[in-house]
Amino acid sequence: MGDRFVVVPVDGGGDAAEHSGSVVAQATRLTGGDGGEEEPKVEEDPVFEPQDPNVAVPILKYNREPNKYGDGVPKENSPFINNTDNDKSNSYDGTNMALFEEEMDSNPMVSSLLDKLANYTNLTQGAQEHEEADDDEGSKKKAVKSPQMGTFMGVYLPCLQNILGVILFLRLTWIVGTAGILESLAIVGLCCSCTMLTAISMSAIATNGVVPAGGSYYMISRSLGPEFGGAVGLCFYLGTTFAGSMYILGTIEILLTYIVPKAAIFVAEKKEDEGEALLNNMRVYGTCCLTLMSVVVFVGVKYVNKLALVFLACVILSILAIYAGVIKTIFEPPDFPVCMLGNRTLQNHNFDKCLKEDTIGNLTTTTQLYKLFCNGPNATCNEYFLNNNVTQIQGIPGLISGVISENMWSEYGPLGMLVENKKLSSVGGSDPTQDIYLPYVVNDIASFFTLLVGIYFPSVTGIMAGSNRSGDLRDAQKSIPVGTILAIFTTSIIYFTCVVLFGACIEGVLLRDKFGDSVKGNLVIGTLSWPSPWVIVIGSFFSCCGAGLQSLTGAPRLLQAIARDGIVPFLQVFGHGKANGEPTWALLLTGAICEIGILIASLDAVAPILSMFFLMCYLFVNLACALQTLLRTPNWRPRFKYYHWALSFLGMSLCLALMFISSWYYAIVAMVIAGCIYKYIEYRGAEKEWGDGIRGLSLNAARFALIRLEEAPPHTKNWRPQCLVLLNLDSDQAVKHPRLLSFTSQLKAGKGLTIVGNVLEGTFLTKDAEAKKAEQNIKSSMTAEKTKGFCHVVVSSNLRDGVSHLIQSAGLGGMKHNTVLMAWPGTWKQSNDTQSWKNFIETIRETTSAHQALLVAKNVDSFPTNQERLGEGTIDVWWVVHDGGLLMLLPFLLRQHKVWRKCKMRIFTVAQMDDNSIQMKKDLQTFLYHLRLNAEVEVVEMHDNDISAFTYEKTLVMEQRSQMLKQMQLSKTEREREAQLIHDRNTASHSMNDKSETLPDRVHMTWTKDKLFTERNRNRECNSNVAMRDLFNMKPNQSNVRRMHTAIKLNEVVVNKSQGAHLVLLNMPGPPKNRGGDENYMEFLEVLLEGLNRVLLVRGGGREVITIYS
């Protein structure tokens, strides 16, 4: 707030008080209108302390000095709600909205929000995207001039200038002559339909919210996501860059062919070398022109923009000259004779008269034409020259001459084919091997329909010019659709009428004469124009120059915008530029790529290349619109209503078809380039969340798949471990056992569902920050261990309930976990807290109750990382009981991963005294054969030996230890209870009065306090001694003895056979039904696993997970 109010004491009585009240009210009215500004806090200001009313009455004084109570920053400085910059020090102090005052920091007043949105301006092209714009400049920021360009100047004319260009002037007549009027109309119709459909899709996207300058790249990237956006943005950049090459080549072609042919550096001595000489001239002059244009763009880009109207005027004047010339042909066709030898067209460069012999007076002499076909007066002449007459036909017979019927059909041909008029008579005798050395007009390239499509398509590009200028438009959402569609409609009419008028006015052989050799090197379209061919020549020259400069101006800014988005890391250097923001490095790269097109040197070869890149850009614009329409995302609300997903889909299909029609190999190359960029951004690029349609498509597909999965449980053939990994974190919220994540990724080989869960003790309101930190650390560990999945951190009042909640609720619909993976509590014996192993056993019980499989990894920190490669070794499976076949499936899945690939699988099963071990082995081998598993099979016999004294002793020690822990726990509980009792009595004694303190104890009226404690200690010692005597006289439970015997004997066998194995998989026995034996259960498992390094205890989920059937 620039104007401040401070409080000053003023002497006076009631009048002063009245004056004070009026000033306060006036100040409140002045400041209360804007909810974003602070009001004077009368009641909270320390100046307003109780004072003697007769001495001084405080009033508000107007002051312009900085306020000591605020920092002068406006309440809302961004139109986005989540902006919190500079808001923390401001507060809302209005009385009308006091109910919402605590939320003002995060939820701004509507008046403030609307004020900011009203003043919002678009950013210039190449600047940062609008949601990340800098607000740090403060008072240094210059006032931005509000955009004032309307539809006509801001969209229509720029699109017109970009669409009409070099192909219209240099190649359209040749396309009409080669393809014929009908097929030319088909080519124009295909290409204009493609751009019109794309413009409809683009209009829908451009009117769906504010589009900062950046044009098509911004629209595609924000609609399809950073991967597609980066790939298509770079394709559009390459297309714009190669367009610059094409315009420069067109400029040089006009210069060297039609304006100053004598400026050529390379001159062909023979006719067959003319094509190569022209290409070399184009390379030299093109490079010089590119260098000059780059310097102009680098030094004075503002002059390029100011000259845009001049270049546009050249284009419009040239087109008007064409129409004027067509009208003139009705009354007075221009005189451009074409010399024909038989039915062949001759190049009219080196002769003046279209005659074999010329009579001057009474003397008959040979002409220059004769000398071209004969070496001398008495020398032999070309046989075809002797057999056929030389005739002249009018190159432009006129609109009403009827030549349109002859130009209806195509005249395709191979390289070097002679341009002939089929109506004229021709006598044979030609030698094709010699014809290439004679002055005939021939095809310089092989022509066919698909080639012409690729050459013509660049003439309809440029429809994005309006959207690129969205930052300069008064109302972009209205101007872009209207201006772009009108420009496409106008240019389509121009192209359609030009095709028909060219075919109706110009002779076919002249149409197929690409460089105007038959009319003394005139531009073919120039011969039709009025008042002079030079109008078209000069106009097209400046038009190509301007278009080339515009491409060299726009392409670097597009690359700079992509680089500043940060989605392609290796391009970030091109985001930098001069102090004024001009993209210097991007201009250098653009010039280098442009030089590649110039070295190709042929306009007909460069045009299909940029066609591919533009078509790919248009394809993805249509895809973006179709996706957004079909997905019906809530934010999809375009103001332009005349769109439909079917039109977008048709436009997309047309773009794809045109790509392969134009050049299938260029199309494949363009797709490979875009695919490589896509995968690179996906792999290395920055993660951006732009609310794109591809993410919406993923959400829809996921929802559909989840609903389908919910319909029925998965079949055994589709069963795969969907893991819930229970992680432990240390006090710093770091992962304790990261190898558990490595093992998860190895077990799943990147497939299936993985949910990594953790439980924090406490309440969510107090542990929110810790939960976020824990989740971030777990995600970092998952990234480091290459574990793909989801993280789920739960805050619960205790660990036990938290794990239970995870097991019950993790996952969604059909994508729920069916397997729980956790680490063995290795320090359960050393820990004083019994809750750890009790939680472990309860987790086992809950997974069994939920019919989920359980995997427990012992010594998990010794498991291999994803970078290790285990050598020759074995994965040993000890199949004691069958609980669904998970034991057989897990080694197979592990061996799919490169860490375990070289390991062999061995299956051991245990035979009792009554079993036939030989038959068991055969049956097991047959079973594995049907399961399609390769494994060695071994049957281990365990005889019913007598229970050893060691087993008795081990069991006794286990039970004694358990009993001692219970006694210790009981003693600890009693001590805590006694301490609490003393504390309560002391607290109560302080609160009683003196009289109550003298009252005797009601329970022990004759005992003192010392006597009470003495008796208690004596009783406790007696009880302790009795308990110790019972402890040493106890006998082991027979059930525990049998279980210990099984654990010891099985451990001996497993250690004997599998001590050197890389991994041992073993059936996990279930916990006892009686919870009193939980600690003994942990002891049994400890004995069972003793002496083994890497062990995975497996407990099935109660269903078959592997089958022999296909």
Side-chain angles (χ1 to χ4, degrees):
M1 189 165 65
D3 302 330
R4 310 297 182 190
F5 291 96
V6 296
V7 181
V8 295
V10 176
D11 294 335
D15 293 339
E18 272 184 24
H19 179 66
S20 174
S22 65
V23 174
V24 171
Q26 184 179 0
T28 304
R29 284 195 302 273
L30 287 172
T31 60
D34 187 358
E37 295 194 358
E38 296 181 297
E39 298 178 3
K41 297 184 180 180
V42 177
E43 68 278 3
E44 292 180 9
D45 200 303
V47 179
F48 283 94
E49 295 179 356
Q51 299 178 5
D52 188 345
N54 298 321
V55 176
V57 176
I59 69 167
L60 289 172
K61 180 181 178 181
Y62 190 65
N63 187 13
R64 295 184 180 274
E65 295 180 0
N67 188 356
K68 66 178 179 178
Y69 309 116
D71 56 3
V73 182
K75 175 77 182 82
E76 302 298 336
N77 60 354
S78 170
F80 305 104
I81 287 177
N82 61 357
N83 187 71
T84 57
D85 296 343
N86 302 319
D87 285 353
K88 301 301 179 187
S89 59
N90 293 295
S91 62
Y92 178 77
D93 198 37
T95 56
N96 293 336
M97 293 294 169
L99 187 62
F100 301 96
E101 62 186 3
E102 293 185 358
E103 300 177 357
M104 288 298 169
D105 286 339
S106 58
N107 301 337
M109 288 289 293
V110 173
S111 58
S112 176
L113 177 69
L114 292 177
D115 180 60
K116 292 301 175 184
L117 287 174
N119 295 327
Y120 176 74
T121 57
N122 298 114
L123 306 177
T124 57
Q125 182 175 354
Q128 288 179 323
E129 59 187 269
H130 72 286
E131 63 260 42
E132 295 175 0
D134 288 333
D135 288 322
D136 301 333
E137 296 180 10
S139 58
K140 297 179 183 177
K141 190 178 288 185
K142 296 180 180 179
V144 179
K145 187 179 179 181
S146 59
Q148 294 297 327
M149 296 185 75
T151 303
F152 185 75
M153 291 295 294
V155 180
Y156 180 75
L157 289 182
C159 284
L160 216 63
Q161 180 190 0
N162 279 268
I163 293 172
L164 300 171
V166 61
I167 300 296
L168 169 66
F169 300 122
L170 295 183
R171 291 294 180 269
L172 190 57
T173 53
W174 174 71
I175 290 172
V176 172
T178 305
I181 293 174
L182 294 180
E183 291 187 27
S184 297
L185 289 174
I187 292 172
V188 173
L190 275 173
C191 296
C192 290
S193 300
C194 176
T195 53
M196 181 62 80
L197 292 170
T198 304
I200 291 171
S201 299
M202 183 195 73
S203 299
I205 297 173
T207 58
N208 187 50
V210 180
V211 178
S216 57
Y217 163 69
Y218 182 91
M219 290 189 294
I220 295 169
S221 62
R222 271 52 174 186
S223 297
L224 291 178
E227 293 88 0
F228 275 112
V232 180
L234 284 175
C235 283
F236 190 56
Y237 163 73
L238 291 173
T240 309
T241 305
F242 275 105
S245 301
M246 184 185 74
Y247 291 129
I248 291 172
L249 289 174
T251 303
I252 302 305
E253 184 177 311
I254 294 169
L255 180 71
L256 293 181
T257 308
Y258 307 115
I259 299 179
V260 279
K262 296 187 181 298
I265 297 174
F266 300 92
V267 180
E269 305 243 345
K270 301 177 183 177
K271 179 178 178 293
E272 59 269 25
D273 297 333
E274 287 179 357
E276 192 61 35
L278 177 63
L279 294 181
N280 288 331
N281 283 317
M282 301 276 273
R283 291 183 181 111
V284 173
Y285 278 96
T287 303
C288 296
C289 184
L290 172 64
T291 305
L292 181 63
M293 285 186 176
S294 299
V295 170
V296 170
V297 171
F298 178 77
V299 173
V301 69
K302 58 183 178 181
Y303 300 114
V304 176
N305 294 327
K306 288 180 179 178
L307 288 171
L309 280 177
V310 176
F311 298 139
L312 176 62
C314 292
V315 174
I316 294 173
L317 284 174
S318 300
I319 291 171
L320 291 176
I322 293 170
Y323 284 112
V326 168
I327 294 170
K328 184 175 179 291
T329 61
I330 300 174
F331 313 107
E332 184 184 348
D335 183 26
F336 282 98
V338 176
C339 188
M340 308 291 294
L341 176 61
N343 64 357
R344 299 177 182 179
T345 312
L346 297 177
Q347 292 183 346
N348 193 356
H349 287 301
N350 299 318
F351 59 90
D352 297 325
K353 296 181 180 179
C354 186
L355 296 170
K356 291 184 180 181
E357 296 177 346
D358 189 17
T359 302
I360 302 174
N362 295 325
L363 184 63
T364 301
T365 59
T366 57
T367 60
Q368 292 174 322
L369 175 61
Y370 183 89
K371 295 175 183 176
L372 294 173
F373 287 88
C374 304
N375 293 329
N378 300 321
T380 58
C381 295
N382 179 266
E383 186 179 352
Y384 188 84
F385 178 75
L386 295 175
N387 294 338
N388 291 274
N389 294 324
V390 176
T391 57
Q392 270 189 339
I393 61 172
Q394 195 55 254
I396 302 178
L399 188 62
I400 56 175
S401 64
V403 74
I404 187 171
S405 60
E406 301 171 13
N407 292 331
M408 281 289 181
W409 313 108
S410 60
E411 290 283 348
Y412 300 118
L415 170 67
M417 187 187 84
L418 300 174
V419 175
E420 298 176 341
N421 187 336
K422 301 296 184 185
K423 288 194 309 177
L424 300 178
S425 61
S426 173
V427 180
S430 64
D431 182 5
T433 58
Q434 297 299 317
D435 289 343
I436 58 172
Y437 303 108
L438 298 174
Y440 293 125
V441 177
V442 296
N443 285 353
D444 65 326
I445 58 171
S447 56
F448 41 89
F449 179 80
T450 56
L451 173 75
L452 299 187
V453 173
I455 292 175
Y456 173 76
F457 188 80
S459 67
V460 297
T461 59
I463 62 173
M464 302 290 185
S467 62
N468 289 343
R469 295 166 178 258
S470 58
D472 302 324
L473 300 175
R474 189 184 306 116
D475 185 357
Q477 296 194 8
K478 177 184 174 184
S479 298
I480 289 175
V482 174
T484 305
I485 292 173
L486 268 180
I488 293 174
F489 185 72
T490 305
T491 52
S492 299
I493 289 175
I494 291 173
Y495 283 129
F496 277 117
T497 54
C498 282
V499 166
V500 175
L501 293 176
F502 291 165
C505 294
I506 305 176
E507 181 63 47
V509 291
L510 181 55
L511 285 173
R512 295 194 296 279
D513 183 5
K514 186 185 288 186
F515 300 107
D517 291 324
S518 60
V519 284
K520 296 188 179 294
N522 276 300
L523 181 62
V524 175
I525 198 173
T527 60
L528 186 62
S529 65
W530 180 86
S532 166
W534 285 101
V535 175
I536 294 284
V537 172
I538 301 300
S540 59
F541 176 78
F542 282 113
S543 169
C544 292
C545 280
L549 284 170
Q550 292 284 353
S551 296
L552 289 178
T553 305
R557 280 159 179 73
L558 181 58
L559 181 63
Q560 188 182 48
I562 298 170
R564 286 185 172 178
D565 260 346
I567 56 175
V568 186
F570 70 85
L571 288 180
Q572 288 186 357
V573 64
F574 298 107
H576 306 297
K578 293 195 291 186
N580 60 354
E582 290 299 317
T584 310
W585 292 104
L587 179 62
L588 286 175
L589 180 65
T590 303
I593 297 173
C594 208
E595 179 64 20
I596 296 173
I598 286 170
L599 292 177
I600 295 174
S602 171
L603 189 89
D604 303 318
V606 172
I609 296 176
L610 65 101
S611 294
M612 290 304 115
F613 292 123
F614 278 119
L615 278 167
M616 184 163 287
C617 176
Y618 297 164
L619 183 150
F620 283 104
V621 169
N622 285 297
L623 174 63
C625 182
L627 264 184
Q628 300 276 26
T629 308
L630 288 172
L631 293 176
R632 295 176 184 161
T633 50
N635 191 52
W636 180 246
R637 303 184 299 275
R639 290 192 175 279
F640 180 78
K641 300 298 181 185
Y642 305 102
Y643 69 94
H644 193 270
W645 67 265
L647 291 176
S648 300
F649 188 78
L650 179 62
M652 183 177 67
S653 304
L654 198 54
C655 288
L656 189 64
L658 283 173
M659 285 177 69
F660 282 92
I661 286 173
S662 303
S663 175
W664 62 268
Y665 45 89
Y666 279 160
I668 291 174
V669 169
M671 287 181 167
V672 168
I673 291 173
C676 291
I677 297 169
Y678 178 94
K679 294 306 291 183
Y680 175 80
I681 295 173
E682 187 180 54
Y683 180 67
R684 292 292 304 270
E687 293 183 5
K688 297 278 185 179
E689 176 50 66
W690 287 331
D692 51 87
I694 293 297
R695 184 173 176 83
L697 181 64
S698 302
L699 289 172
N700 266 21
R703 180 184 63 85
F704 178 76
L706 283 172
I707 292 172
R708 289 291 302 273
L709 282 174
E710 190 74 12
E711 292 176 359
H715 191 272
T716 303
K717 290 184 287 187
N718 293 325
W719 194 96
R720 64 183 65 194
Q722 316 277 20
C723 290
L724 169 63
V725 185
L726 297 178
L727 278 186
N728 293 325
L729 304 181
D730 57 21
S731 56
D732 295 329
Q733 308 299 337
V735 176
K736 276 188 180 179
H737 304 296
R739 297 288 178 89
L740 204 59
L741 295 173
S742 304
F743 183 70
T744 306
S745 60
Q746 294 160 21
L747 178 65
K748 305 182 71 53
K751 304 295 187 298
L753 174 71
T754 301
I755 302 173
V756 181
N758 176 252
V759 179
L760 295 179
E761 282 192 278
T763 61
F764 184 69
L765 291 177
T766 57
K767 295 281 187 176
D768 180 32
E770 287 185 37
K772 288 181 179 177
K773 182 182 178 184
E775 187 171 344
Q776 193 62 41
N777 291 344
I778 291 174
K779 285 181 178 179
S780 300
S781 296
M782 291 173 69
T783 303
E785 301 296 335
K786 298 182 179 178
T787 304
K788 296 180 180 179
F790 308 99
C791 177
H792 195 174
V793 176
V794 171
V795 181
S796 180
S797 56
N798 58 72
L799 292 175
R800 168 79 191 79
D801 290 344
V803 172
S804 178
H805 295 156
L806 275 175
I807 292 174
Q808 292 177 61
S809 62
L812 179 64
M815 287 297 285
K816 289 182 71 71
H817 63 279
N818 53 28
T819 305
V820 176
L821 174 62
M822 58 193 301
W824 170 262
T827 59
W828 72 273
K829 275 190 174 182
Q830 292 78 23
S831 174
N832 293 326
D833 184 15
T834 60
Q835 202 60 41
S836 62
W837 57 264
K838 286 183 179 179
N839 287 341
F840 174 75
I841 296 175
E842 287 302 316
T843 303
I844 299 173
R845 288 195 174 102
E846 291 211 345
T847 54
T848 305
S849 178
H851 301 291
Q852 295 174 1
L854 176 66
L855 309 178
V856 179
K858 187 187 178 189
N859 297 331
V860 68
D861 292 329
S862 68
F863 276 51
T865 63
N866 288 324
Q867 286 71 39
E868 291 182 44
R869 301 291 179 269
L870 297 179
E872 298 291 335
T874 60
I875 300 175
D876 288 358
V877 177
W878 285 86
W879 191 19
V880 180
V881 294
H882 179 65
D883 54 359
L886 186 58
L887 272 171
M888 252 77 75
L889 184 62
L890 291 176
F892 169 76
L893 295 174
L894 281 174
R895 290 180 64 216
Q896 306 303 307
H897 197 276
K898 49 195 172 185
V899 173
W900 304 89
R901 191 163 292 158
K902 293 183 179 179
C903 297
K904 293 181 180 179
M905 179 177 168
R906 294 193 303 179
I907 295 184
F908 297 89
T909 189
V910 178
Q912 299 298 322
M913 196 67 182
D914 299 334
D915 296 328
N916 185 342
S917 58
I918 297 174
Q919 188 61 38
M920 279 182 66
K921 184 173 183 179
K922 288 182 180 179
D923 293 343
L924 184 54
Q925 286 174 336
T926 305
F927 181 58
L928 290 176
Y929 174 78
H930 288 305
L931 288 176
R932 290 92 63 203
L933 294 175
N934 297 320
E936 297 179 14
V937 175
E938 189 169 341
V939 178
V940 178
E941 296 181 353
M942 286 184 65
H943 300 294
D944 288 338
N945 298 334
D946 293 334
I947 297 175
S948 64
F950 173 74
T951 302
Y952 276 105
E953 184 183 351
K954 190 95 173 171
T955 309
L956 185 59
V957 170
M958 175 189 73
E959 292 185 351
Q960 287 175 346
R961 179 180 179 277
S962 177
Q963 195 65 27
M964 284 179 66
L965 285 173
K966 286 179 181 176
Q967 292 291 337
M968 289 170 62
Q969 188 67 26
L970 191 61
S971 302
K972 181 181 178 184
T973 306
E974 283 187 355
R975 285 198 304 272
E976 290 175 352
R977 192 179 302 158
E978 185 175 300
Q980 184 65 35
L981 180 61
I982 294 171
H983 173 73
D984 292 344
R985 287 190 174 182
N986 288 337
T987 305
S989 66
H990 286 302
S991 63
M992 295 173 67
N993 54 28
D994 295 338
K995 183 177 180 180
S996 62
E997 286 177 359
T998 60
L999 290 177
D1001 192 350
R1002 286 181 290 176
V1003 180
H1004 304 286
M1005 299 181 67
T1006 60
W1007 285 5
T1008 63
K1009 187 181 292 187
D1010 292 338
K1011 184 173 177 59
L1012 174 65
F1013 289 153
T1014 304
E1015 287 295 321
R1016 279 190 180 174
N1017 290 333
R1018 187 165 62 83
N1019 290 336
R1020 185 178 298 137
E1021 288 173 5
C1022 291
N1023 292 335
S1024 177
N1025 292 333
V1026 171
M1028 291 301 290
R1029 268 200 312 273
D1030 293 342
L1031 197 62
F1032 288 109
N1033 293 332
M1034 66 186 296
K1035 293 183 179 180
N1037 183 285
Q1038 287 301 313
S1039 175
N1040 288 342
V1041 170
R1042 289 199 311 274
R1043 288 193 172 111
M1044 184 62 77
H1045 174 71
T1046 304
I1048 291 173
K1049 295 299 290 182
L1050 191 55
N1051 175 260
E1052 288 177 0
V1053 174
V1054 173
V1055 170
N1056 182 38
K1057 295 285 186 180
S1058 303
Q1059 195 168 20
H1062 286 314
L1063 181 64
V1064 176
L1065 283 82
L1066 188 63
N1067 282 115
M1068 183 179 193
K1073 294 180 180 179
N1074 179 16
R1075 297 178 189 270
D1078 283 355
E1079 188 177 6
N1080 297 338
Y1081 171 72
M1082 293 295 292
E1083 194 72 46
F1084 295 145
L1085 291 180
E1086 194 72 56
V1087 171
L1088 181 62
L1089 304 178
E1090 191 175 354
L1092 298 172
N1093 183 20
R1094 296 180 190 139
V1095 185
L1096 188 67
L1097 289 172
V1098 180
R1099 186 165 174 76
R1103 60 161 295 172
E1104 293 292 333
V1105 300
I1106 194 167
T1107 178
I1108 64 173
Y1109 299 105
S1110 62

